Amino acid sequence: MNKENTSSRLPVMSGKRAHTNSTDGEQQQPAQKKMRKIDTEPPQRFRPAASVVPPRRPVAVKAPVRALRPTGAATVAVAPARGDQRKPVAAVPKAAAGLGLSRRPGWDLKGKVSDMEAKVHNYQSKMKSVNLENDHLKDSITKAQKHKAEIEDENKGLKKRLRDCEEELEKLANVKDDLAQTSTERDGLKKDLSKLSEEHKVLEGLRDHLESELRKIQTQLAIQTSTLRQCQDSLKESQELVRNLEETVARQREELHLGEMERRKLHNTIQELKGNIRVFCRVRPLLTGNQSDILHIQLPAHDNKALTLAKTEESHTGRTADTQKSYNFSFDRVFGPRDSQREVFEEISLLVQSALDGYNVCCFAYGQTGSGKTFTMEGGDLEDLWGVIPRAVQQIFKSAKALQEQGWQYTFTASFVEIYNETLRDLLYTGKPNKRPEHEIRKVSNNEITVTNLTYQKVNNEDEVQNLIMLANQNRSTARTGMNDHSSRSHSVFQLDIEGQNSDRDTKCKSVLCLVDLAGSERVQKSQSQGERFKEMTAINSSLTNLGIVIAALANKENFIPYRNSKLTYLLQNCLGGNSKTLMFVNIAPEEESFSESLNSLRFASKVNDCVIGTASANRK
Ligand SMILES: Nc1ncnc2c1ncn2[C@@H]1O[C@H](COP(=O)(O)OP(=O)(O)OP(=O)(O)O)[C@@H](O)[C@H]1O
């Protein structure tokens, strides 16, 4: 610039030279010429004005103006960039302008005008150039704005993509969790799979095994099917056979029934031949000591019906030898101390059977106190020790069941009564002790004997009967405590009423099984017994004596039988009469001191044994 200033006093814009070849160069020419005249330096020494023209190509947005800034002596200010607060630069430096003007002499007005014109012209061309430049800049700005808009759009797009990517990333984070879970599940599933594969292998093995089993079964099935066919054929044959057999069975049933009726008839005949009243003697074992010590009772080994009671009587004077006195007895059967309960019962089981056939049966035990009456009739708790009553009941129910096949249906009613001092006492009573009713023996219309207010209990099996026997024993033991053991001095009578019906044959039968444990038969000297005891003994003796009388009257076929003389004979009336079978046990105590009582008992039993009571007939309808 300084160089320029030194060579020319006029400030010349570098752009001016650049446009010297422009269209308006014609108009500028004179001025240039004038200037050349003034300027001594050649125009080439000016820096080309083109260097200040902004390039046409788009420039960077951030520095559009900076590119247009004059690098040399440009005097034209350009528009500041957006945000550039710098003031526009003065077109002509004052010093230069003043320097040019001041150099012309005051009188050179023409020259001054010419300078002024040149200056105006210069400004005009500068204006043009600036406008042009401005247009370029506007164009650049527009382009830059357009570019900016594009970039903004692009930016928006990128932001949107960024958001999408972020969302995608979030989703991927979830997916990661899912993936982790899935991989855990996959691991679990892998394990399951391996387990299942193992199971599968096992199952395959099993299946193979089952298939082979199935094949075997199918083979067997085929065999069995053919067997079944054979069976069906033989079944048909068997059915035919069964039909024939059924006919045979029906025929044989009829024959069986006839046979049963025949058996009953023959059985009765045998009983008659044996005598309707029979006497069995039973010797109790010694309760202490050796059985061979029983010397006064002799039981012949070869004869089970005889018994000898022997006693050595000392000589009163002492001069003669002691005499041996023997008493021989004969009964239907004699049981020794070693004979068991079972052996005893076997002998009377046929008699018990008669009760089911419709015959009244009475069995009683006679003997002094402690001779074994209760043991014979009731026995002990163990089955081996069972006496006549439990065994008879067992047999009755067993036979009744067997007879069901032949159409027989039975009902059983039990009662248990005690006669003490000619008073009846219900042994099956379960009410209050102080409310015990009184009992009377009554004969009802069809000659049946019944006791008022007595418990008649229906029983269906032997257990029920056993329970009743236990109840009776309880009742007896209560009485025993309160009445100084009166059980030895009372009669106990167990009765089982039996009713049978054969609906096939329209037949009915009715009977009574009567099992009696009599009071002790010992005689007590009148002088030795007093008060209650005397009354008791009188009652016992009276009833036992009366029993003997009734049996004798029956044996003698007397018109009048004094049943009513005692409660015992009245109660047993139907069991003792012509229509019954009676068995008497005479029980003997083996102790020597019981000799006289034993002798009395045996004598009484012999009298009974001699009796022949009329023919029994079954109670049939
Ligand atoms: N055959 C026997 N075998 C074993 N023990 C017996 C036999 N007979 C009786 N006894 C026993 O003898 C005792 C007296 O018998 P039991 O009570 O039967 O006589 P009892 O005549 O009924 O007397 P009571 O008149 O006082 O009732 C009892 O302990 C009984 O167990």
Side-chain angles (χ1 to χ4, degrees), residues 371-398:
S371 58
K373 298 184 295 293
T374 308
F375 185 84
T376 300
M377 296 309 289
E378 292 178 21
D381 290 337
L382 296 172
E383 198 169 340
D384 272 358
L385 298 178
W386 279 5
V388 169
I389 298 177
R391 284 173 196 271
V393 166
Q394 190 183 48
Q395 183 183 329
I396 291 272
F397 280 104
K398 217 171 170 181

Side-chain angles (χ1 to χ4, degrees), residues 282-287 336-341 344 365-380 385 476 480 485 487-490 517-522 587-588:
R282 188 178 194 186
V283 181
R284 167 170 71 69
L286 278 173
L287 298 178
R338 289 191 179 84
D339 288 327
S340 67
Q341 297 281 63
V344 172
Y366 179 95
Q368 72 175 107
T369 299
S371 58
K373 298 184 295 293
T374 308
F375 185 84
T376 300
M377 296 309 289
E378 292 178 21
L385 298 178
R476 286 190 99 180
R480 200 175 289 151
D485 191 9
S487 64
S488 313
R489 300 185 295 280
S490 65
D517 183 2
L518 292 172
S521 62
E522 62 273 16
N587 291 90
I588 303 294

Side-chain angles (χ1 to χ4, degrees), residues 77 146 247 264 481:
K146 200 177 163 194
E247 284 169 19
R264 288 186 181 192
T481 324

Side-chain angles (χ1 to χ4, degrees), residues 500-517:
Q501 187 173 5
N502 192 331
S503 37
D504 296 352
R505 317 250 162 217
D506 198 23
T507 316
K508 283 182 182 173
C509 65
K510 199 168 188 220
S511 58
V512 182
L513 174 67
C514 205
L515 305 167
V516 188
D517 183 2

